[in-house]
Amino acid sequence: MTRPPGPWWAELPPAAGSAVMATGIVSIGLHLVGHETFSRAALALAGAVWVVLAADFSVRFLRDRPRWHAEADTPPALTAVAATAVLGTRLSALGWQPAAAALLAMAAALWPGLLYSVVRHWKRRMPGGAFLVCVATQGLAVPAATLAAMGEGDWLARAALVVFCLGVLLYGEALVRFDFRQVWTGAGDQWIAGGALAISALAGSKLTASPLWTGDAHQVLRTATLVLLGLGLAWYAVLLTAEVVGPRPHYDVRRWATVFPLGMAAVAALSTAAATHVRGLHTLGVVLLWVAVAAWLLTLAGFLMTRVGGGAGRVPGNGASAPATEPAATPPR
């Protein structure tokens, strides 16, 4: 006998965490260009969704352990780490350092167990969610370096450097397992291939801006940041071309994993411009930010339409089925 269905948020897959990531990074971008009111509104929304998902995450762990373990083995589970880190970074910009440090500690506590569960289930020809191993890892480096810049301890900057290097290595591991056909057929999470490089560039820009490294060390970090940003923007161009050639207009929860890389590319460009003094990157970042805001609004509209229409919010684009690394539907309970 199956249990009656619970509230709609209890049926959301782990990939729903990318909605918090997307909204949080848009909030950071709006803050960087001076639109503080809209930035705080986006932050409030991201925080509210984070609370709902965190509560559901905890309930599943306590009451439905088999389902929790099954979902923890999939790359989208790492959105729990990345979303928490993004919120922590934004709170730090508000001057709420204790809250930001608490979220960083929470993300760091979740990271090793979830990363291990995901990596040991890695396969060949994986969707874009595979790159979340890099995103979650660099997600720790960004708030750590941000807190260090706020005077919370140089040890955080050194830890951020170690995590930054690990994140780059994990990107390479994910790249060799990525199914490149997803560029043309993916339902949204293929964009994480570029977003992972963008968040790596953001972490690099935070480290470059740190006074802890000077001389050759500073130059190496500066060069690495510019290279990572350039590669991320190249992915952006390829993925955008694929979207234009083969439109996938239907809403899918994985479309939030498109918005996050769009926003991350903008924030990475803005932060890199400040850290490396390459002026043109600031203008580029502003343009990319408004693209991300437009994509966020369209994705939100798609989500609301599935709610009004009674849909499940998991309509695969172009008729593709959900990837094997993420359950296509919630099992009966």
Side-chain angles (χ1 to χ4, degrees):
M1 181 177 180
T2 60
R3 301 178 189 176
W8 62 266
W9 59 80
E11 303 306 317
L12 290 173
S18 58
V20 179
M21 296 161 58
T23 308
I25 201 62
V26 166
S27 174
I28 292 172
L30 290 170
H31 165 72
L32 291 176
V33 297
H35 292 280
E36 194 63 25
T37 300
F38 293 118
S39 173
R40 294 194 181 204
L43 173 62
L45 180 58
V49 177
W50 182 88
V51 168
V52 170
L53 294 177
D56 188 50
F57 180 92
S58 301
V59 169
R60 291 185 193 184
F61 180 78
L62 295 173
R63 297 184 180 179
D64 195 353
R65 196 68 62 85
R67 178 183 176 184
W68 189 91
H69 281 296
E71 292 178 340
D73 292 340
T74 66
L78 287 166
T79 61
V81 176
T84 303
V86 168
L87 283 182
T89 301
R90 181 63 184 96
L91 292 182
S92 180
L94 286 173
W96 299 357
Q97 308 312 331
L103 287 174
L104 173 58
M106 188 181 301
L110 289 172
W111 173 72
L114 290 176
L115 181 67
Y116 174 74
S117 294
V118 169
V119 169
R120 72 191 184 96
H121 288 91
W122 257 357
K123 300 176 182 178
R124 295 289 179 180
R125 294 188 175 182
M126 296 185 67
F131 292 100
L132 283 167
V133 297
C134 171
V135 172
T137 303
Q138 300 292 18
L140 298 179
V142 172
T146 301
L147 284 167
M150 295 294 178
E152 297 299 314
D154 288 345
W155 70 271
L156 281 169
R158 295 187 178 92
L161 178 61
V162 173
V163 175
F164 166 74
C165 294
L166 177 59
V168 173
L169 291 175
L170 286 170
Y171 184 89
E173 287 294 317
L175 185 63
V176 300
R177 291 169 171 80
F178 179 55
D179 182 357
F180 283 87
R181 294 174 297 180
Q182 290 286 309
V183 171
W184 306 99
T185 64
D189 59 352
Q190 71 276 12
W191 278 84
I192 307 176
L197 288 171
I199 194 173
S200 297
L202 176 59
S205 71
K206 298 289 186 182
L207 293 168
T208 300
S210 172
L212 201 59
W213 291 283
T214 59
D216 291 342
H218 175 269
Q219 188 58 40
V220 168
L221 283 170
R222 183 180 187 276
T223 301
T225 298
L226 290 170
V227 169
L228 288 167
L229 179 61
L231 292 173
L233 293 175
W235 262 114
Y236 192 118
V238 170
L239 290 162
L240 182 60
T241 299
E243 294 277 6
V244 172
V245 173
R248 284 148 273 183
H250 301 295
Y251 175 77
D252 187 291
V253 71
R254 286 164 288 181
R255 270 306 177 192
W256 291 108
T258 299
V259 179
F260 174 71
L262 292 175
M264 184 54 72
V267 171
L270 292 168
S271 183
T272 300
T276 63
H277 307 292
V278 179
R279 294 182 180 179
L281 288 178
H282 181 83
T283 302
L284 176 62
V286 172
V287 172
L288 294 180
L289 176 61
W290 294 118
V291 172
V293 170
W296 184 89
L297 290 171
L298 286 172
T299 306
L300 178 62
F303 168 74
L304 293 176
M305 288 176 65
T306 63
R307 292 296 106 207
V308 173
R314 290 181 51 74
V315 182
N318 71 350
S321 60
T325 54
E326 181 182 337
T330 302
R333 293 188 290 166

